[in-house]
Amino acid sequence: MNKNTQTHFETTLIHCAQEPDQSTGSVIPPIYQTSTYAQSSPGVHKGFEYSRTDNPTRRRLEMALAASEHGRDGLCFASGMAAITSFIHTLSPGDHVLCSNDLYGGTYRLFTKVMAGFGLEFDFVDFSQGGEWESACRENTRLIWLETPSNPMLSLIDIERVSVFAQRKKLRLLVDNTFASPYLQNPLLLGADVVLHSTTKYIGGHSDVVGGAIICQDQELLEKLRFVQNSMGAIPGPFDCWLTHRSLKTLSLRMQKHCENAMSIAQFLEKHPKVESVIYPGLASHSQHELAKRQMKDFGGMISVVLGADLESTKTFLSSLQIFTLAESLGGIESLIEHPAIMTHASIPKKERDHLGISDGLVRLSVGIEHVEDLQYDLSQALDRI
Ligand SMILES: *Cc1c(COP(=O)(O)O)cnc(C)c1O
């Protein structure tokens, strides 16, 4: 199963760990919907004992995801949050984690409301500019946790720059690469130690499966993670792994279209009189456009928009849309839109939200792969109602 290919990204995603089934020739390997495995005598088995520990369908997905991020190996989890929770359990009480300050709402909630009660310490600082974060590093800091582009403000962090600092201080650097996907950005190649995904988003890509993954280089850390995963049990089922693996094969094509559509919609919105500002790393008006060009292959499918409108008019706009679905989540083939202050980021205190720029007029678009003219028309008719 282990095909250590030197091929291009697209080819790797389609063929890695997908050799035809040996016993039947089935081009697509079967789904191993089993909880346990027959042993010929006690302790003698074919590498699989129990499906919490390991399952062939999950293993294939882990290998393909590892290849997509240029890691030695990877692990799959029941959700992005399960991956994050498991990773945090490789730390010890008293350890300090330095996080970027515009984190996924669920991660922020886990760190501040759940894990802080287990003796771990978290700080949230602005990594998008120099200075502040370097001095926030403490004696007991063990891990730097970044998201870039961030959610929902789409600010960027220079991964390579932070990795140089992390290496000097002997800290581990983890990047949650969910927003970019492995197609746009490979943190391990930029010096990060660990890359994490909510595969629910671009990797799954069809809004029909929840999952998470961690990929890294360090063999010792991989073993520790497998131990934690097997002990805590936050594993995905075989069918979810199979669905996610099927989606991974079209990631490149989907991402190209997400990026193309998002760029054209960002340009359209930037010129619209009802729009105050558009935040998209692909626009020259984005303050980190140069970093985006250097660090990412393209600019992604996420756009944040500040409407020149109060909460009521913003709600009218959102409920007037016909093609964009008002929903949390992102990264699917269908276009979604959401209101961070009320929906995804409600768990962040208002004071902190205001500080980050998550205002009542801010909406976040996950641009899908529909025909771009239909998407533009939909936004345009809804903006007319403000
Ligand atoms: C969605 C998301 C998560 C959490 O993943 P789930 O699969 O929903 O548990 C973590 N990080 C980011 C950046 C996300 O977008």
Side-chain angles (χ1 to χ4, degrees), residues 318-340:
L318 290 171
S319 41
S320 305
L321 289 160
Q322 307 280 323
I323 297 177
F324 278 84
T325 303
L326 181 60
E328 298 197 3
S329 197
L330 59 114
I333 49 175
E334 66 288 287
S335 293
L336 303 180
I337 193 160
E338 68 112 4
H339 190 272

Side-chain angles (χ1 to χ4, degrees), residues 2 17 28 58 125 155 176 275 315 338:
N2 196 356
I28 300 302
R58 187 168 105 214
V125 293
S155 63
D176 180 336
V275 170
K315 283 184 180 168
E338 68 112 4

Side-chain angles (χ1 to χ4, degrees), residues 142-305:
R142 295 284 171 271
L143 175 68
I144 295 180
W145 189 288
L146 304 182
E147 262 178 49
T148 177
S150 74
N151 171 22
M153 300 314 289
L154 302 175
S155 63
L156 269 61
I157 298 166
D158 188 335
I159 298 173
E160 211 160 5
R161 183 169 166 206
V162 179
S163 85
V164 169
F165 174 83
Q167 273 160 25
R168 200 172 69 230
K169 295 271 183 181
K170 300 205 174 0
L171 305 175
R172 215 160 236 159
L173 172 60
L174 179 147
V175 178
D176 180 336
N177 202 29
T178 301
F179 261 47
S181 91
Y183 173 79
L184 293 180
Q185 174 175 286
N186 294 124
L188 299 183
L189 298 184
L190 298 167
D193 302 293
V194 185
V195 52
L196 184 142
H197 282 282
S198 164
T199 57
T200 314
K201 314 296 168 53
Y202 284 108
I203 290 174
H206 297 70
S207 309
D208 55 10
V209 61
V210 172
I214 298 175
I215 298 120
C216 62
Q217 269 316 346
D218 180 350
Q219 187 60 32
E220 212 173 298
L221 179 61
L222 283 162
E223 277 162 26
K224 193 165 181 181
L225 278 164
R226 286 208 186 282
F227 177 79
V228 168
Q229 181 184 50
N230 191 36
S231 305
M232 296 182 67
I235 53 144
F239 185 63
D240 284 0
C241 290
W242 184 85
L243 268 181
T244 305
H245 201 152
R246 177 198 221 254
S247 296
L248 187 64
K249 296 174 191 175
T250 56
L251 178 69
S252 302
L253 270 180
R254 286 185 284 109
M255 288 313 294
Q256 284 162 34
K257 190 71 178 167
H258 282 298
C259 294
E260 187 188 311
N261 279 359
M263 179 60 111
S264 121
I265 287 189
Q267 286 167 342
F268 160 77
L269 289 172
E270 201 171 37
K271 289 194 213 97
H272 199 286
K274 300 261 174 78
V275 170
E276 209 169 275
S277 61
V278 178
I279 310 169
Y280 183 64
L283 293 176
S285 60
H286 191 286
S287 63
Q288 294 167 299
H289 180 57
E290 290 307 314
L291 173 59
K293 282 201 283 194
R294 194 167 77 235
Q295 182 161 275
M296 300 168 71
K297 186 171 179 174
D298 204 334
F299 307 109
M302 302 301 296
I303 306 175
S304 286
V305 181

